[in-house]
């Protein structure tokens, strides 16, 4: 089955598009990928929506600002698919389903609240292709964390690539999450802590550019070990998984009034060490750590992770995967699983009481 997956992550930089051939259990082929960037005005609206979303107590409520942001998200995703199809000479009839994650503006599973703005039905009506959307809600409503959703896809990729076990697959987006695959194929997955969000916010405030390109700024700084020791005693890191984290659970200003380079170095080290702490919950240490997402482009961060884990660290590209588009591919995979009523989440990945199907199909 040919599926398109869409992802707009917590970094809010744009919409990733990926085509995948899959039966929902194995991956039989990778298709082209695409990207539709958000303009700075669009990012500003989404950042405002993130702040407003934090006040929601009803996941269906939409203030005027949130409604405007939801229209933007839906339109941007539609434009991303239309451009992708045109550039790759694909007809809409060539695609069986679109997996639409939307833009997270609130994730509070302890309150059974998770909100991803984006209108799945409107997207389906514009594209003329079935759309699977709202993939987290069923898990959260049943008592799960609603995240991470990609472990079943990580396992399918690892099986196809013949990677060693135990294996750790780390996605470093705004929040970092990890999938541990044991020798028998068992899964353990959870959010480890901050990913790129704190460093991006720090760089935006200090330099006006919301990224530490290549980790160059952090590489020139020195981590503040006192601050790091204080950060890493936060109770989240000792809490047993499954667990998940909202992007706003930590703020970049926690590093204090230090030099830009030292703040960047401290936040990068915080991300790396909190990821490494995830291995505390394993029976056996991973033979290999594979890093995907935006963090895979940061050699300083990769070096800090290798130092913190004492293990081999590779990027998704090193093992033949697409770090940039893995999450979009995952939502294509999950959309097909949803259509076939196969589980998306498990007790060991989100804490849901039993394996859970999910997603709403708009046809």
């Amino acid at each position: 089955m040919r599926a398109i997956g869409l992802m707009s992550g917590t970094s809010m930089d744009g919409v990733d598009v990926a085509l995948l051939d899959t039966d929902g259990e194995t991956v039989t082929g990778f298709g082209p990928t695409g990207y539709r960037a958000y303009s700075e005005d669009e990012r500003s609206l989404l950042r405002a929506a993130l702040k407003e979303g934090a006040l929601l107590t009803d996941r269906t409520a939409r203030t005027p600002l949130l409604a405007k942001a939801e229209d933007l998200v839906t339109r941007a995703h539609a434009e991303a698919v239309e451009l992708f199809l045109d550039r790759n000479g694909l007809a809409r009839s060539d695609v069986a389903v679109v997996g639409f994650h939307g833009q997270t503006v609130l994730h509070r599973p302890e309150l059974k609240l998770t909100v991803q703005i984006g209108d799945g039905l409107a997207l389906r009506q514009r594209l003329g292709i079935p759309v699977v959307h709202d993939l987290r809600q069923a898990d959260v409503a049943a008592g799960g964390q609603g995240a991470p959703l990609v472990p079943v896809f990580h396992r399918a990729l690892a099986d196809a690539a013949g990677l060693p076990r135990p294996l750790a697959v780390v996605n470093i987006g705004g929040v970092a999450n990890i999938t541990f695959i044991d020798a028998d194929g068992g899964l353990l997955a959870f959010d480890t802590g901050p990913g790129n969000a704190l460093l991006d916010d720090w760089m935006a405030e200090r330099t006006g550019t919301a990224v530490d390109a290549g980790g160059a700024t952090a590489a020139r700084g020195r981590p503040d070990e006192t601050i790091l020791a204080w950060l890493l005693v936060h109770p989240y890191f000792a809490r047993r998984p499954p667990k998940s984290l909202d992007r706003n659970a930590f703020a970049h200003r926690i590093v204090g009034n230090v030099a830009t380079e030292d703040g960047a170095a401290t936040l990068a080290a915080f991300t790396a060490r909190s990821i490494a702490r995830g291995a505390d919950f394993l029976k056996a240490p991973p033979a290999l750590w594979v890093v995907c997402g935006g963090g895979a482009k940061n050699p300083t961060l990769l070096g800090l992770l290798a130092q913190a884990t004492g293990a081999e660290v590779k990027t998704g590209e090193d093992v033949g995967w697409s770090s940039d588009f893995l999450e979009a591919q995952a939502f294509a995979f999950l959309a097909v699983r949803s259509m076939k009523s196969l589980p998306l989440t498990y007790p060991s990945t989100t804490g849901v009481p039993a394996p859970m199907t999910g997603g709403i199909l708009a046809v």
Side-chain angles (χ1 to χ4, degrees), residues 87-249:
R87 285 182 172 174
N88 292 286
L90 294 166
R92 299 181 188 214
S93 59
D94 292 331
V95 180
V97 65
V98 171
F100 177 37
H101 176 265
Q103 184 72 51
T104 298
V105 295
L106 178 68
H107 187 66
R108 296 286 303 278
E110 72 278 9
L111 300 178
K112 294 193 174 183
L113 271 177
T114 185
V115 181
Q116 289 74 44
I117 57 173
D119 188 329
L121 180 58
L123 183 64
R124 189 266 179 271
Q125 290 171 339
R126 175 162 169 171
L127 295 178
I129 304 169
V131 171
V132 171
H133 62 105
D134 210 7
L135 290 101
R136 299 186 189 275
Q137 170 58 18
D139 183 275
V140 170
Q145 293 288 308
L149 292 180
V150 296
V152 286
F153 183 60
H154 287 155
R155 184 170 59 192
L157 289 178
D159 287 344
L163 295 180
R165 310 287 179 81
L167 174 71
V169 182
V170 185
N171 178 69
I172 307 179
V175 170
N177 58 67
I178 195 162
T179 300
F180 290 116
I181 308 171
D182 66 25
D184 299 318
L187 297 173
L188 177 65
F190 53 96
D191 288 345
T192 59
N196 298 316
L198 300 186
L199 185 55
D200 288 350
D201 291 348
W202 177 261
M203 295 299 294
E205 181 177 289
R206 290 300 184 100
T207 71
T209 302
V211 65
D212 182 13
T217 304
R220 295 194 299 270
R222 178 176 296 179
D224 187 312
E225 294 295 336
T226 301
I227 292 176
L228 282 168
W230 173 70
L231 290 172
L232 288 165
V233 298
H234 190 284
Y236 180 81
F237 304 116
R239 188 191 312 164
R240 297 197 64 81
K243 55 185 178 177
S244 65
L245 196 68
D246 186 81
R247 184 192 190 279
N248 294 325

Side-chain angles (χ1 to χ4, degrees), residues 17-358:
V17 187
L19 188 70
L20 195 73
D21 289 312
T22 178
D23 60 2
E25 297 184 80
T26 59
V27 176
T28 55
F30 296 97
T33 57
Y35 178 69
R36 191 273 197 198
Y38 288 126
S39 69
E40 188 50 48
D41 285 345
E42 290 171 338
R43 288 191 194 98
S44 294
L45 175 58
L46 292 176
R47 285 193 287 266
L50 192 67
K51 292 179 181 178
E52 197 137 322
L55 305 176
L56 289 174
T57 56
D58 176 358
R59 72 181 309 270
T60 64
R62 296 292 184 268
T63 64
L65 188 147
L66 282 171
K68 184 178 179 181
E70 185 158 60
D71 288 344
L72 162 64
V73 168
T74 306
R75 175 174 53 80
H77 282 71
E79 290 172 357
V81 173
E82 290 165 349
L83 182 63
F84 175 80
L85 294 174
D86 183 61
R87 285 182 172 174
N88 292 286
L90 294 166
R92 299 181 188 214
S93 59
D94 292 331
V95 180
V97 65
V98 171
F100 177 37
H101 176 265
Q103 184 72 51
T104 298
V105 295
L106 178 68
H107 187 66
R108 296 286 303 278
E110 72 278 9
L111 300 178
K112 294 193 174 183
L113 271 177
T114 185
V115 181
Q116 289 74 44
I117 57 173
D119 188 329
L121 180 58
L123 183 64
R124 189 266 179 271
Q125 290 171 339
R126 175 162 169 171
L127 295 178
I129 304 169
V131 171
V132 171
H133 62 105
D134 210 7
L135 290 101
R136 299 186 189 275
Q137 170 58 18
D139 183 275
V140 170
Q145 293 288 308
L149 292 180
V150 296
V152 286
F153 183 60
H154 287 155
R155 184 170 59 192
L157 289 178
D159 287 344
L163 295 180
R165 310 287 179 81
L167 174 71
V169 182
V170 185
N171 178 69
I172 307 179
V175 170
N177 58 67
I178 195 162
T179 300
F180 290 116
I181 308 171
D182 66 25
D184 299 318
L187 297 173
L188 177 65
F190 53 96
D191 288 345
T192 59
N196 298 316
L198 300 186
L199 185 55
D200 288 350
D201 291 348
W202 177 261
M203 295 299 294
E205 181 177 289
R206 290 300 184 100
T207 71
T209 302
V211 65
D212 182 13
T217 304
R220 295 194 299 270
R222 178 176 296 179
D224 187 312
E225 294 295 336
T226 301
I227 292 176
L228 282 168
W230 173 70
L231 290 172
L232 288 165
V233 298
H234 190 284
Y236 180 81
F237 304 116
R239 188 191 312 164
R240 297 197 64 81
K243 55 185 178 177
S244 65
L245 196 68
D246 186 81
R247 184 192 190 279
N248 294 325
F250 295 91
H252 65 283
R253 292 189 177 91
I254 53 180
V255 298
N257 187 24
V258 299
T260 299
E261 293 82 359
D262 293 344
T266 303
L267 292 172
F270 181 34
T271 292
R273 294 187 197 181
S274 58
I275 292 170
R277 283 280 299 272
D280 293 349
F281 302 103
L282 300 182
K283 295 178 181 177
L288 173 66
W289 296 66
V290 179
V291 179
C292 303
K297 296 181 179 180
N298 186 328
T300 300
L301 184 54
L302 295 176
L304 289 167
L305 181 59
Q307 181 180 352
T309 60
E312 184 177 19
V313 174
K314 292 185 176 182
T315 67
E317 274 73 18
D318 291 336
V319 298
W321 302 348
S322 171
S323 292
D324 286 340
F325 294 96
L326 188 144
E327 282 199 298
Q329 292 169 343
F331 281 98
F333 183 79
L334 293 172
V336 174
R337 285 185 72 85
S338 183
M339 289 182 76
K340 294 189 172 187
S341 298
L342 294 170
L344 306 188
T345 57
Y346 299 85
S348 63
T349 62
T350 67
V352 71
M356 175 67 61
T357 58

